[in-house]
Amino acid sequence: MIRIIGILILFFYLSCGVKAGERTDSVFPADSVGGEELTVSIVTCDPGPDVYELCGHAAIRIRSAVMDSVWNYGIFDFSSPNFIYRFCKGETDYMVYGYQFERFMPAYVRRGSRVTEQVLDLSQEEAARLRALLQIESRPENRVYRYNYVRDNCATRPWKRIIQSVDKNIELPDTLYYPTFRSEMRHFHRNYPWYQFGIDLVLGSGLDYPLAKDEDTFAPPVLASKLADAMLGGRPLVRQTNVIFPGYGDVTLPPTPWWRTPMAVGIVMLIMSIGTMFAYFMKRRLWRWWICLYFLTAGIAGCIVAFLVFCSEHEATSPNVLIFWLNPLQLIIAVGIWFRSWRIPLTVMAVYDLLMVIVLAVLWATPVISQVANPAVWPMLSSAVPLAVTILLSSKYASQNVKRKKQKA
């Protein structure tokens, strides 16, 4: 149960950036010597084992006979004041820095990720325009930007700057690799079911609308695949593809064993909830403990979900229909189950939870709700039913005892 709460925090690291603290100053000022022939590339790094590396990374490389630079939009300062709180609230400030390319590679070589570059067929005027844009944007007064994990990140920013720099429209292929943001995330997070489970809990229907043909490029590998077939003024945008570092294959973690997945935990929770109802009938005193733990977890998780729905600036956190299940009101049951005097609020909340499960099941069975639920939600959500029934039975029994005592008196 503690793991379910903790996994909600993991979405804070939903990024494709560089590790916190890897800050560096831009070394190519806007007044640097020009005139040299420039080569522009998009560098794509394959996914790594950590959760913030699962979508890979992308950057712009500009080089000539006298310099070799990389322009990285994935820099963030984890040590900045209130970083976690501000990240949750949606005030996610990332930075762009330009520095020597040789300083970019060691991290990816250490983790064994494949690194490729796609050399773009840009004119010298377009390449110089792009470098000027990057030099201006990387100045201290301009380098900070408000990061968005699917709309404005380390892949979408370089792509937008290239579009700004060219003279003609870039045509991407019509192929849509993934129909929604959530389906694309699930592909890259497929071996990390607890991480995806946390994302599915805290991010609502904003991840589930049908994407346009260029919206799935927020993941660097997808952007690289589309660039390979992109056209610029009737000619291929990518002139050449080079493997800078071959890597060691897939360096992400192996699939999680089924018995450690959220679905397995959800099934265990449902079995324990049904067992709790039978324990009540058998007059076992332990039945209150599981009710307390279940609704304590739901209440604490609900505090996180409620904060994200009502306070966060992330557009995908609201609306989120799971707030009808995961909300702070569930703490009433967690506390009240130990006090007979709380039987009225307990009864109200038990009736609420029964109706809530029914309503959510009906809504998800119809096209009314576009939000896609994680499969593990169903056994976890259904666990509330036998527990709510047990609470209603215990409240009725407690009420009858009170009446008997009053009659005897």
Side-chain angles (χ1 to χ4, degrees), residues 305-365:
V305 172
F307 174 81
L308 294 173
V309 168
F310 296 111
C311 300
S312 177
E313 295 181 13
H314 288 299
E315 80 284 349
T317 59
S318 181
N320 184 350
V321 297
L322 289 178
I323 196 172
F324 292 107
W325 169 41
L326 301 176
N327 60 71
L329 293 177
Q330 302 292 8
L331 295 174
I332 294 175
I333 297 180
V335 176
I337 194 65
W338 302 104
F339 305 101
R340 291 187 177 183
S341 59
W342 284 48
R343 63 180 182 276
I344 293 178
L346 279 177
T347 300
V348 172
M349 284 301 302
V351 172
Y352 166 82
D353 281 317
L354 286 175
L355 294 176
M356 175 268 303
V357 173
I358 295 172
V359 169
L360 286 180
V362 171
L363 290 178
W364 261 313

Side-chain angles (χ1 to χ4, degrees), residues 152-164:
D152 201 357
N153 64 13
C154 66
T156 60
R157 279 255 164 172
W159 171 233
K160 291 175 183 176
R161 294 301 169 263
I162 291 169
I163 293 175
Q164 289 179 263

Side-chain angles (χ1 to χ4, degrees), residues 146-317:
R146 185 55 51 86
Y147 174 88
N148 183 294
Y149 36 78
V150 292
R151 299 187 184 279
D152 201 357
N153 64 13
C154 66
T156 60
R157 279 255 164 172
W159 171 233
K160 291 175 183 176
R161 294 301 169 263
I162 291 169
I163 293 175
Q164 289 179 263
S165 303
V166 298
D167 296 321
K168 298 180 180 179
N169 291 333
I170 299 176
E171 292 294 330
L172 290 177
D174 293 330
T175 304
L176 189 64
Y177 284 57
Y178 303 96
T180 65
F181 288 130
R182 196 184 305 273
S183 62
E184 186 165 349
M185 289 179 178
R186 286 183 173 179
H187 169 77
F188 288 100
H189 305 161
R190 59 191 179 277
N191 290 349
Y192 296 67
W194 280 102
Y195 180 47
Q196 184 60 48
F197 177 70
I199 291 172
D200 288 340
L201 287 189
V202 300
L203 300 185
S205 57
L207 295 183
D208 297 307
Y209 73 85
L211 299 182
K213 66 178 182 180
D214 62 339
E215 287 186 303
D216 60 350
T217 57
F218 75 90
V222 176
L223 174 63
S225 296
K226 290 204 166 186
L227 289 180
D229 298 319
M231 303 296 291
L232 173 61
R235 68 182 189 276
L237 173 62
V238 176
R239 185 174 65 209
Q240 181 181 349
T241 300
N242 303 320
V243 177
I244 302 175
F245 177 66
Y248 308 133
D250 185 359
V251 297
T252 59
L253 298 180
T256 301
W258 69 267
W259 49 272
R260 293 175 56 187
T261 64
M263 176 60 76
V265 172
I267 293 173
V268 171
M269 291 172 63
L270 181 58
I271 293 174
M272 292 182 65
S273 297
I274 295 173
T276 296
M277 185 169 61
F278 283 103
Y280 170 77
F281 285 120
M282 296 174 65
K283 308 299 182 182
R284 302 294 184 184
R285 295 184 179 275
L286 294 177
W287 62 271
R288 286 188 176 89
W289 286 100
W290 177 243
I291 292 178
C292 176
L293 183 58
Y294 176 89
F295 287 103
L296 178 64
T297 302
I300 295 175
C303 292
I304 298 173
V305 172
F307 174 81
L308 294 173
V309 168
F310 296 111
C311 300
S312 177
E313 295 181 13
H314 288 299
E315 80 284 349
T317 59

Side-chain angles (χ1 to χ4, degrees), residues 16-22 52 57 72 74-76 94 99 104 108:
C16 51
V18 177
K19 287 185 179 181
E22 290 190 22
Y52 53 80
H57 187 48
N72 190 347
I75 307 292
F76 63 92
Y94 272 47
Y99 50 98
F104 178 81
Y108 303 101

Side-chain angles (χ1 to χ4, degrees), residues 6-120:
I7 203 67
L8 298 178
I9 308 300
L10 283 179
F11 106 101
F12 300 156
Y13 305 102
L14 180 58
S15 64
C16 51
V18 177
K19 287 185 179 181
E22 290 190 22
R23 296 182 57 178
T24 180
D25 288 328
S26 296
V27 295
F28 303 100
D31 59 351
S32 59
V33 178
E36 69 271 26
E37 184 175 346
L38 301 177
T39 300
V40 176
S41 307
I42 290 290
V43 177
T44 303
C45 309
D46 282 3
D50 293 323
V51 292
Y52 53 80
E53 302 169 338
L54 292 181
C55 290
H57 187 48
I60 296 176
R61 182 184 187 185
I62 301 179
R63 64 186 186 275
S64 69
V66 297
M67 64 89 181
D68 191 356
S69 63
V70 66
W71 302 84
N72 190 347
Y73 284 91
I75 307 292
F76 63 92
D77 186 2
F78 191 80
S79 63
S80 60
N82 303 314
F83 178 84
I84 294 295
Y85 171 78
R86 292 174 62 248
F87 200 120
C88 298
K89 197 171 182 294
E91 298 173 355
T92 318
D93 292 336
Y94 272 47
M95 294 166 283
V96 55
Y97 281 85
Y99 50 98
Q100 294 94 340
F101 185 72
E102 64 182 14
R103 298 177 60 186
F104 178 81
M105 286 298 299
Y108 303 101
V109 173
R110 283 196 301 269
R111 82 186 193 196
S113 294
R114 175 186 172 96
V115 180
T116 59
E117 71 168 343
Q118 294 168 295
V119 181
L120 306 183

